Amino acid sequence: MAEMMTTQAGDAGAFRNFDLSRVPTPCFVVDEKAVERNLRILADISDRSGAHVLSALKAFSMFALAPLIRQYLGGTCASGLYEARLGREEYGGEVATFCAGYKDADIDEILALSDHIIFNSPAQKDRFLAKASAAGKQVGLRINPEHSEGEVPKYDPCAPCSRLGTPVSQLDAQALNGVDGLHMHTLCEQGFEPLQRTWASVEPKLAPFIDSLRWLNFGGGHHITRDDYDRDALVELIKGIRSKYGIEVYLEPGEAVALDAGILIGEILDLPQNGMNLAITDISATCHMPDVIEAPYRPALMDEADAGHTYRLGGPSCLAGDVIGDYTWGTPLHIGQRFAFLDQAHYSMVKTNTFNGVPLPTIALWNSETDALNIVKQFDYDDFKQRLS
């Protein structure tokens, strides 16, 4: 589930010490020490609760950091064939794959790559159960708890007529035939309390079936590494479930792995006027931060002023709606000036595109303790052209 739907305050942290002129623009810069800080918190949750914590590649799949991530987490969760392959090749540990619909052409390879394969419906489970069993894989079924905690219907898997998960009211012995575990992913950028309420709602409905299961997977959307997250309560909930039912528990944080760990640096290209101050930048909302338009949300600007000179920032594409938002600086902008949006490591990096031939941002890895900087990937014309040939 996505995906930066709310306005985040962002935490500049060590990035205030980073010289924005050190990299070409646009550029994602990820602080490996900030990622490690998050990983330590997640590993502590795993150690104290006994939960299996997997990194959600759909949110953050910068595999340059795979060696670091596998030091702390138990593996990855994938949303299909390519992510499952990336998880198996680069990260190690367990690979749990969920897809809303599997293709016959992909299923054998997905099974070979995955430890758990999670189906969206009993029909898909029944269709591929024999193959999964023959391959010795654990089989999961995604459920819809029919308890909504989503703040925006577009990102709420429990919204009416949702296509994600089997409604818990439809569970029966046939639906659970051959099923080792249940998966539920109902949160988005949320604290502990929505998970607690969801479990309180769904636990009685699962009571007739839970003794036959080996595991429960609570999916992602947990902002575990946020300062105000009640991590002790999460630990106690998981310990209680494991003790009461003799069952394993999985968590699949995505944003929490890379929360406040990356920035997107841009440059001012032009400063036109049309009823207000405008600024054309080499960062495109539609190409580099599509959640700005899809969610929508307003990314936080590093060191934005409370008052001064306000500009409407937009990208270089031909899309009229390629607008990032209105932002304020203490002094007037100038052509060539650098700026940075906060908390851009998760989702923005994996959702970039080359609409209009807009170049993809460079990807850089920075160590805020040593100040070491490594350009991980620079994209060029061939990256655009090869997608279209």
Side-chain angles (χ1 to χ4, degrees):
M1 172 161 51
E3 295 166 341
M4 304 184 299
M5 17 172 275
T6 56
T7 299
Q8 299 294 320
D11 180 5
F15 285 111
R16 285 200 175 91
N17 300 320
F18 184 81
D19 180 356
L20 303 186
S21 68
R22 293 175 69 184
V23 294
T25 61
C27 183
F28 291 108
V29 180
V30 176
D31 177 9
E32 62 181 292
K33 300 310 293 186
V35 173
E36 187 170 21
R37 174 202 64 215
N38 291 334
L39 293 171
R40 289 182 186 276
I41 292 171
L42 295 172
D44 177 66
I45 295 294
S46 178
D47 290 342
R48 290 197 287 144
S49 70
H52 302 254
V53 181
L54 310 180
S55 179
L57 295 180
K58 66 180 179 180
F60 184 65
S61 54
M62 185 179 178
F63 61 91
L65 285 173
L68 178 66
I69 292 172
R70 65 173 168 253
Q71 290 180 40
Y72 292 95
L73 303 187
T76 54
C77 61
S79 301
L81 175 57
Y82 289 168
E83 285 187 359
R85 182 173 174 180
L86 184 66
R88 180 60 66 206
E89 289 180 351
E90 300 291 341
Y91 291 81
E94 294 183 84
V95 176
T97 304
F98 164 79
C99 185
Y102 293 101
K103 298 177 67 172
D104 284 304
D106 295 341
I107 194 67
D108 289 338
E109 188 173 359
I110 287 173
L111 285 170
L113 294 166
S114 306
D115 298 287
H116 294 185
I117 182 164
I118 300 164
F119 296 99
N120 192 54
S121 70
Q124 276 251 308
K125 180 263 297 181
D126 291 340
R127 181 177 173 187
F128 297 116
L129 181 59
K131 281 193 170 186
S133 299
K137 306 301 180 177
Q138 292 194 38
V139 171
L141 180 69
R142 178 166 177 167
I143 64 169
N144 174 352
E146 298 179 284
H147 170 88
S148 182
E149 290 285 348
E151 298 172 357
V152 178
K154 180 164 57 174
Y155 294 117
D156 181 8
C158 298
C161 304
S162 172
R163 77 186 204 287
L164 295 174
T166 300
V168 68
S169 59
Q170 295 180 17
L171 291 184
D172 57 23
Q174 178 56 40
L176 292 174
N177 177 49
V179 171
D180 297 294
L182 296 179
H183 176 284
M184 62 188 87
H185 177 45
T186 64
L187 305 183
C188 182
E189 296 187 333
Q190 288 173 297
F192 169 73
E193 292 76 11
L195 174 63
Q196 184 179 43
R197 291 191 294 267
T198 300
W199 177 245
S201 170
V202 78
E203 182 183 12
K205 301 171 186 176
L206 297 181
F209 314 109
I210 202 164
D211 285 344
S212 67
L213 302 176
R214 299 172 63 179
W215 47 265
L216 289 172
N217 186 324
F218 286 120
H222 317 277
H223 260 198
I224 298 168
T225 53
R226 200 173 67 200
D227 287 344
D228 62 351
Y229 190 97
D230 191 346
R231 293 189 277 267
D232 290 336
L234 176 64
V235 168
E236 291 307 309
L237 175 69
I238 294 169
K239 287 169 63 177
I241 293 170
R242 295 181 67 237
S243 174
K244 182 176 181 179
Y245 295 110
I247 201 167
E248 294 300 310
V249 174
Y250 284 78
L251 300 173
E252 298 178 342
E255 292 185 11
V257 173
L259 195 66
D260 292 325
I263 58 174
L264 177 57
I265 301 172
E267 181 177 316
I268 303 298
L269 306 179
D270 194 18
L271 294 166
Q273 274 272 346
N274 184 10
M276 68 175 297
N277 295 325
L278 305 175
I280 307 299
T281 80
D282 59 356
I283 293 178
S284 163
T286 189
C287 296
H288 304 149
M289 297 187 296
D291 280 325
V292 168
I293 297 172
E294 293 174 7
Y297 92 114
R298 180 184 185 272
L301 178 73
M302 185 159 67
D303 295 329
E304 182 177 9
D306 292 329
H309 303 266
T310 299
Y311 297 81
R312 179 160 296 169
L313 270 60
S317 81
C318 71
L319 180 70
D322 190 0
V323 174
I324 302 168
D326 295 354
Y327 294 88
T328 301
W329 279 261
T331 57
L333 292 177
H334 61 266
I335 305 299
Q337 183 168 334
R338 297 288 180 94
F339 61 96
F341 290 114
L342 299 172
D343 204 18
Q344 293 301 307
H346 57 79
Y347 281 112
S348 290
M349 289 179 67
V350 298
K351 296 182 77 170
T352 55
N353 64 80
T354 59
F355 168 68
N356 254 197
V358 172
L360 295 168
T362 297
I363 298 174
L365 187 61
W366 178 55
N367 186 309
S368 57
E369 288 187 3
T370 67
D371 199 37
L373 178 69
N374 176 37
I375 301 296
V376 174
K377 177 73 173 179
Q378 272 191 286
F379 299 91
D380 57 22
Y381 170 68
D382 285 340
D383 295 291
F384 162 70
K385 184 180 180 181
Q386 287 171 10
R387 294 180 63 248
L388 306 173
S389 59

